Amino acid sequence: MHPARTGGSRTHLCALARNGDTHDPDLEDQGYTIDPAGGEPIRIELFFRPYAFLEPGDEVADRNGRAWRFDAVWDWRPFDGGQSGTPAWPLALLSRHGEPTPKEAVAVARATAVGSHADELERWSGLTLARPAAHQQ
């Protein structure tokens, strides 16, 4: 689900997909758009967001000392120019809009003390009945 602004202060929720549908960021038209101010009765409840402890643009170091940029839920960029992939937990927050606060750094370290990217992926897939597009995993 991606919020998008369209003129003035109106916000639409774009790229909503049915349970079991896989979102492909390379496709322009897919899913549904909802106007929260529209006349449709809607109820949206967020019950899980992978990597909820990170924000887009966060930079982290993994347990192997490799630095990564978190751009979106399944979108990791290694700084060393090597093969893409996913960082090995635990993670250390290096940057969040500059120097992270101690509270932010502790929250990321605590959230990744156990588990892995594969665990986040499996939990999300179990709830959505979908998998991220192959190039995003």
Side-chain angles (χ1 to χ4, degrees):
M1 177 166 49
H2 305 284
R5 291 210 178 271
T6 58
S9 61
R10 294 194 58 146
T11 299
H12 290 84
L13 300 176
C14 302
L16 294 170
R18 279 185 266 173
N19 209 25
D21 287 350
T22 296
H23 173 73
D24 185 343
D26 293 334
L27 295 177
E28 190 172 317
D29 293 322
Q30 63 182 323
Y32 304 92
T33 300
I34 293 177
D35 180 357
E40 309 90 9
I42 60 170
R43 178 179 154 187
I44 297 174
E45 181 180 342
L46 178 63
F47 57 94
F48 176 66
R49 180 176 77 85
Y51 290 99
F53 47 87
L54 293 176
E55 296 178 10
D58 279 357
E59 297 173 0
V60 300
D62 70 9
R63 77 166 171 241
N64 301 320
R66 192 173 184 196
W68 297 82
R69 178 181 166 93
F70 175 77
D71 286 324
V73 173
W74 311 121
D75 190 7
W76 288 96
R77 308 272 185 221
F79 281 97
D80 60 16
Q83 283 188 335
S84 60
T86 58
W89 289 22
L91 304 177
L93 184 61
L94 302 174
S95 175
R96 176 174 287 165
H97 312 292
E99 179 121 11
T101 67
K103 184 178 178 180
E104 292 168 333
V106 167
V108 170
R110 187 172 290 138
T112 61
V114 296
S116 66
H117 170 79
D119 293 340
E120 290 285 288
L121 175 61
E122 288 308 313
R123 184 169 175 212
W124 179 83
S125 294
L127 293 168
T128 62
L129 306 176
R131 301 287 289 179
H135 62 280
Q136 290 183 311
Q137 293 184 37

